[in-house]
Amino acid sequence: MKKKIVLSILVGLLALLFIIPLFLTVSNSFMEPSQVQNQYENIFQNKGSEFSGLKFIPDWISLKQYYQVLILKTNFLKMFWNASFMVVPIILGQIIVSTFAAYAFAKLKFPFREQLFYLYILLMLMPFQVTVVPNYLIANYLGILDKFASIIFPGVFSVFGVFLLRQFMQKIPDAYLEAAKIDGANHFQIFFKIILPLSKNYIASLGVLLMIDYWNMVEQPLIFLKDVSMHPLSLYLAQVNKDEIGVAFAAATIYMIPVLLVYLYAENYFVEGIKNSGLKG
Amino acid sequence: MKSKINKKERWIGFGFITPSLIGQLIFFFIPIMMTIYYAMINNPMSKEFVGFTNFITIWDNTIFIRAMKNTFIFTGISVSLIMVLSLGMAMLLNKPLFLRNIFRSCFMVPLIVPSASILMIWQVFFNFNGTLNNIVTSFGFDPIDWMNSAYARWIVVLFYVWKNIGYDMVLFLAALQNIPKEQYEAASIDGANKWQKFYHITLIHILPTFFFVFIISITNSFKIFREVYLLGGEYPYEDLYMLQHYINNLFNVLDYQKLSVSAIYMAIFIFMIVLLWRKVEKKLDF
């Protein structure tokens, strides 16, 4: 019992280290703008001898930073929407494309299935910088550079969804499919009436993982979108200047809300998704 | 048991993957061929075929060599560190603890929060005029420009581990929970000590997961470009300048030859690791 308490406290302290930056961002977003300015203006000075500590709890709770972000400086809000306009189509598109393909890879037999799937895995494990060169060449050729489409298409066809859903769908017993076949169902009926309803949770898992991954994208907009006003907030926040440091905390907090909500309501889907990304079978 | 494939079914399978396959062809497979082509011509104007010359001459480029070296050093340090630490944390979390599920959730927070949202805090902490120097100077030491010093690499390693450890931990935890408890009990009866149990039972069972975590950690280590870029821009401190920066910066000058050659080198590296892993996996399949 004593050992359990000591261990729990140790792990708890460790856990604290993992949420402190999140806590600080949120708490600083409720600071009076003038206080933020005073607190952190040293950061933007060149090599002085004044140092800025991190402020854990603001002296006064204030919503002024939020007022600025939401009402006055709408460029932050626009970049929030930029992110949504790219992320939502990627999630929906990838889910649609991958459910079909995953069903085929998991349950249907066709020539070169294994070789093709091996190719998919290879592609999945390639770092972004490997596939970005081909992506750039083709976007240039199709004339979609500097448009959201140049980010959305490679996202929709990213192979991760196929891989993850296949892992899940392999767990669906073949007996279900055999029974449906005996009843005279064709493959489309099996797909829509049996596979899809059984895959609801799996698709939710994929959706959560994609949301969290793409909400954090930096590399793609950096290369494909030269127009800064089209960038998502994830790329802009770290480049704020001296006058914006106050609003940046509020913008950063607003930008976290969608993923935090998803995590809060769908943590289990997230964890299941990670577990099944384990390459077995 | 293998069931027979009738001719109709062959084409139905293809039918279901067609949307995906067409996308792969247009956005990946065909452009990859274009990449290989660009790697083997002298320049986009005269398009003269030069074979593997570009693959050799790139080694005369000091920036490429530095980027390659930094990438290898970073990946080597950070992957070995995260493997050991995440396994350790998974073993801790596999013990009976109060608030275990809440702690587990905390460890995954860095994974879900967008890097840009929390990097400001890291910036304030490691900035020359920031928190860490505030602490350091209050003890009477001289302030250090952390992100522009030999410490920079370790700060980025720290960030990588902090950000990604939750993922590896979940994978290890799932593997640990699949080990039958009876094996430990039987080993205890036979008089095995803690270390023997870890070596002969735990390690054997999690070996397949271990290799998968290894691969995932390597691919995740390439994603650190994101944070290094957000912290240091296109030209960070020289120890932090990685292959990803090199490729990213080549886009600004559209040097297709060097771009393609670097991407292919990176692909070959990943390909070799995947091959190695497949070999190991086959051996483990007893």
Side-chain angles (χ1 to χ4, degrees), chain A residues 94-109:
Chain A
Q94 195 182 132
I95 284 176
I96 294 170
V97 172
S98 343
T99 29
F100 284 104
Y103 170 55
F105 278 121
K107 293 292 178 194
L108 300 175
K109 292 199 173 64

Side-chain angles (χ1 to χ4, degrees), chain B residues 152-201:
Chain B
R153 180 176 281 143
W154 291 97
I155 294 171
V156 175
V157 168
L158 181 71
F159 191 91
Y160 165 82
V161 170
W162 179 80
K163 170 106 186 148
N164 292 293
I165 202 166
Y167 201 104
D168 295 359
M169 189 194 71
V170 167
L171 288 168
F172 275 134
L173 202 53
L176 289 175
Q177 282 164 352
N178 279 337
I179 304 175
K181 293 249 175 346
E182 301 81 49
Q183 296 204 1
Y184 289 107
E185 284 157 18
S188 297
I189 293 167
D190 293 340
N193 64 28
K194 257 188 180 171
W195 174 246
Q196 285 170 326
K197 277 193 262 183
F198 173 75
Y199 191 77
H200 292 290
I201 303 174

Side-chain angles (χ1 to χ4, degrees), chain A:
Chain A
M1 191 61 192
K2 207 174 153 197
K3 199 180 158 201
K4 187 177 171 185
I5 295 173
V6 173
L7 260 183
S8 300
I9 293 172
L10 274 177
V11 177
L13 286 176
L14 199 60
L16 215 57
L17 283 180
F18 281 76
I19 50 169
I20 281 179
L22 172 82
F23 172 82
L24 282 168
T25 306
V26 176
S27 81
N28 279 300
S29 73
F30 290 107
M31 233 187 241
E32 188 76 28
S34 57
Q35 197 196 348
V36 179
Q37 208 58 248
N38 283 334
Q39 187 74 34
Y40 299 120
E41 68 180 355
N42 292 329
I43 300 298
F44 295 94
Q45 280 170 0
N46 286 330
K47 322 261 152 131
S49 52
E50 297 285 311
F51 304 103
S52 294
L54 279 161
K55 192 89 178 161
F56 274 83
I57 309 283
D59 294 340
W60 299 98
I61 301 286
S62 152
L63 291 174
K64 275 192 193 146
Q65 299 189 39
Y66 285 95
Y67 177 72
Q68 291 243 316
V69 173
L70 295 172
I71 314 285
L72 298 178
K73 292 201 159 185
T74 47
N75 60 324
F76 281 104
L77 218 51
K78 182 170 184 287
M79 286 189 257
F80 180 93
W81 292 118
N82 285 345
S84 319
F85 291 147
M86 290 181 264
V87 173
V88 173
I90 289 176
I91 296 175
L92 295 179
Q94 195 182 132
I95 284 176
I96 294 170
V97 172
S98 343
T99 29
F100 284 104
Y103 170 55
F105 278 121
K107 293 292 178 194
L108 300 175
K109 292 199 173 64
F110 55 89
F112 303 114
R113 184 177 80 162
E114 300 312 314
Q115 290 87 336
L116 209 53
F117 190 67
Y118 187 49
L119 220 56
Y120 269 50
I121 292 182
L122 261 179
L123 205 52
M124 183 180 81
L125 293 172
M126 287 297 163
F128 172 76
Q129 283 75 18
V130 172
T131 51
V132 73
V133 181
N135 279 172
Y136 186 90
L137 294 174
I138 206 73
N140 193 11
Y141 185 76
L142 297 175
I144 53 172
L145 274 179
D146 290 311
K147 298 194 173 94
F148 286 157
S150 61
I151 290 172
I152 293 172
F153 278 116
V156 165
F157 293 108
S158 163
V159 286
F160 178 70
V162 180
F163 173 76
L164 187 72
L165 289 178
R166 172 187 173 269
Q167 297 288 95
F168 278 127
M169 285 181 186
Q170 278 185 328
K171 292 181 188 165
I172 297 175
D174 284 331
Y176 289 11
L177 312 184
E178 295 300 330
K181 260 184 215 165
I182 291 165
D183 290 343
N186 64 34
H187 281 281
F188 276 93
Q189 285 166 328
I190 292 177
F191 179 74
F192 284 107
K193 298 243 166 80
I194 297 175
I195 298 288
L196 269 192
L198 285 174
S199 303
K200 259 193 299 196
N201 289 347
Y202 311 156
I203 292 171
S205 267
L206 175 62
V208 170
L209 285 178
L210 291 179
M211 165 79 194
I212 284 166
D213 193 22
Y214 281 101
W215 202 247
N216 190 18
M217 69 177 154
V218 166
E219 298 93 332
Q220 297 94 320
L222 187 63
I223 285 170
F224 291 118
L225 303 174
K226 289 280 167 266
D227 181 357
V228 179
S229 72
M230 289 170 79
H231 281 179
L233 207 43
S234 49
L235 183 49
Y236 183 75
L237 275 175
Q239 306 161 8
V240 292
N241 55 44
K242 186 173 182 279
D243 307 314
E244 284 173 321
I245 178 89
V247 277
F249 281 114
T253 305
I254 292 173
Y255 197 62
M256 289 192 271
I257 291 174
V259 279
L260 284 178
L261 282 180
V262 165
Y263 186 55
L264 224 52
Y265 285 102
E267 190 189 339
N268 278 337
Y269 291 116
F270 182 61
V271 174
E272 281 306 307
I274 293 179
K275 278 185 195 166
N276 283 281
S277 67
L279 289 155
K280 271 166 267 161

Side-chain angles (χ1 to χ4, degrees), chain B residues 80-97:
Chain B
S80 28
L81 208 57
I82 203 171
M83 304 264 321
V84 174
L85 291 178
S86 61
L87 179 58
M89 258 163 70
M91 287 171 69
L92 262 182
L93 274 183
N94 199 29
K95 292 190 158 126
L97 292 177

